[in-house]
Amino acid sequence: MVILLVYVDDIIITGSDSGLINKLQQVLHATFHMKDLGQLTYFLGLEVHHRPNAGLEDTSLVATPMEVKVKYREDEGALLDDPTIYRQMVGGLIYLTTTRPDISYSVHQRIRDADWARCLNTRRSTTGWCMFLGDAMISSKFKNQDRMSKSSTKVEYLAMSTACSEVIWLCDLLAELQFSQTSPTLIHADNTSAI
């Protein structure tokens, strides 16, 4: 199997057959003006480190201190004197949520899978979910829903529907990569009416 990941003009080639990878590189070099940067070390702002035995065996869990059920308004708090500082902080947080999915939940300050009328300015609710393949989180999303909902049940139902769409897409992607599903996909939700 050879997998080709393309983002605009950046390409990652990976797979289980180094011979096929080399043939693909030759075809691409003959067709396009390209340069081989060698083993992946940096891609789309992410630094990549290769370890023979990557895992979390020698780690320990710690509580992440954060205020729970806090809701902020646009007009609360003092403005920063220099907006560059704000941009740097937001950029740092975005980088954290991309490179450290284990803490993205805390960074996004999402308390539940869906939170009815969380935004005090728009009264829109929040949808958030994480997708796992085994113990590894492979996808996550935290965003305000597109419209206001009149009930928490509808908010939860919309969040579950969005999560189901992502599950179907991921299952199709994994099947295309020849990873067949061996057991049903479980979706956990905490709203009895929505379930």
Side-chain angles (χ1 to χ4, degrees):
M1 178 191 315
V2 175
I3 300 170
L4 182 74
L5 299 138
V6 180
Y7 183 81
V8 186
D9 61 350
D10 294 320
I11 300 173
I12 297 176
I13 302 173
T14 187
S16 58
D17 187 332
S18 58
L20 283 176
I21 292 173
N22 289 333
K23 285 181 185 178
L24 177 59
Q25 286 177 315
Q26 291 170 2
V27 169
L28 290 173
H29 281 291
T31 309
F32 303 102
H33 175 69
M34 305 174 43
K35 60 181 166 180
D36 186 350
L37 300 176
Q39 189 174 30
L40 181 65
T41 56
Y42 191 78
F43 188 72
L44 299 178
L46 299 177
E47 191 174 340
V48 178
H49 297 275
H50 300 271
R51 295 188 185 127
N53 295 321
L56 301 174
E57 293 87 17
D58 298 327
T59 60
S60 57
L61 296 175
V62 295
T64 303
M66 85 179 219
E67 295 181 71
V68 294
K69 299 188 180 184
V70 175
K71 296 184 180 184
Y72 298 104
R73 293 183 175 275
E74 281 180 9
D75 54 357
E76 285 182 337
L79 296 176
L80 295 172
D81 295 331
D82 183 3
T84 305
I85 296 170
Y86 171 77
R87 290 186 196 110
Q88 289 172 342
M89 289 189 313
V90 169
L93 291 173
I94 290 171
Y95 181 79
L96 276 177
T97 61
T98 306
T99 59
R100 293 284 309 276
D102 56 323
I103 64 171
S104 66
Y105 187 80
S106 297
V107 171
H108 283 286
Q109 292 191 5
R110 300 300 185 242
I111 308 307
R112 297 175 49 197
D113 292 336
D115 193 358
W116 185 38
R118 177 162 179 81
C119 180
L120 298 176
N121 296 307
T122 65
R123 304 306 295 164
R124 290 186 182 168
S125 302
T126 302
T127 294
W129 44 255
C130 299
M131 300 291 164
F132 291 85
L133 182 60
D135 292 333
M137 187 169 77
I138 59 171
S139 175
S140 66
K141 184 175 191 173
F142 303 96
K143 68 170 264 185
N144 285 338
Q145 291 184 352
D146 296 332
R147 56 187 65 82
M148 243 188 318
S149 296
K150 294 182 181 178
S151 74
S152 62
T153 299
K154 183 175 180 183
V155 170
E156 297 276 355
Y157 180 76
L158 288 172
M160 289 169 51
S161 175
T162 304
C164 285
S165 296
E166 180 76 359
V167 165
I168 292 168
W169 184 84
L170 286 169
C171 287
D172 287 347
L173 175 64
L174 290 170
E176 190 174 318
L177 295 173
Q178 300 174 4
F179 291 102
S180 58
Q181 188 168 356
T182 57
S183 59
T185 301
L186 299 177
I187 295 180
H188 300 279
D190 61 359
N191 185 289
T192 305
S193 299
I195 293 169

